[in-house]
C-alpha cells in the first residue's frame, strides 16, 4: 500500500512541476537578472518561495511504476531491476531472454 502511495505522490509532483513551470521560470529570470533593482529581485524571490514546494523540478525522483522502488531504476522501461528481472523471467518483456539468473 505504501509503495503505491509513493508512486501517486510522484505523479502529483509531476503535475505540479508542469503546472508551475512557466511561472517559476519567469520569477527565476527576474530574480537572477543583475540589471534589475535589488527590491524587484527580492520580491521575485519571495513570490518564488510562496509557490508549492513540490512544484520544483529538483523534487522529482525516478520511481518504478510497478513497485515504487526509487533505486536501480531503468529509465527506458520505467521499472526497477527487481521488477525487470521478474517480468523478464515471466517472458513479459519482448526480446528479453532469461540467461543465467
Amino acid at each position: 500500500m505504501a509503495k503505491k502511495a509513493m508512486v501517486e505522490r510522484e505523479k502529483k509532483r509531476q503535475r505540479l512541476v508542469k503546472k508551475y513551470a512557466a511561472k517559476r521560470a519567469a520569477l527565476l529570470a527576474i530574480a537572477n537578472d543583475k540589471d534589475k533593482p535589488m527590491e524587484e529581485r527580492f520580491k521575485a524571490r519571495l513570490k518564488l518561495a510562496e509557490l508549492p514546494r513540490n512544484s520544483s523540478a529538483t523534487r522529482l525522483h525516478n520511481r518504478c511504476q510497478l513497485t515504487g522502488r526509487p533505486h536501480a531504476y531503468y529509465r527506458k522501461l520505467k521499472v526497477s531491476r527487481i521488477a525487470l528481472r521478474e517480468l523478464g523471467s515471466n517472458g513479459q518483456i519482448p526480446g528479453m531472454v532469461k540467461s543465467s539468473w
Side-chain angles (χ1 to χ4, degrees), residues 1-57:
M1 185 70 176
K3 293 176 183 177
K4 196 68 164 167
M6 291 305 295
V7 173
E8 291 305 314
R9 185 181 303 170
E10 201 63 34
K11 287 179 184 178
K12 181 181 177 185
R13 284 181 183 154
Q14 288 171 352
R15 285 193 302 269
L16 283 173
V17 167
K18 191 175 181 179
K19 179 179 178 181
Y20 288 99
K23 189 172 190 176
R24 185 173 282 279
L27 288 172
L28 274 173
I30 294 169
N32 293 330
D33 188 4
K34 300 288 183 191
D35 297 332
K36 301 261 186 204
M38 183 62 99
E39 296 81 25
E40 191 176 339
R41 292 169 49 201
F42 187 69
K43 284 181 184 176
R45 287 279 176 199
L46 289 177
K47 286 183 182 177
L48 199 58
E50 290 174 4
L51 293 178
R53 184 174 286 168
N54 282 332
S55 68
S56 174

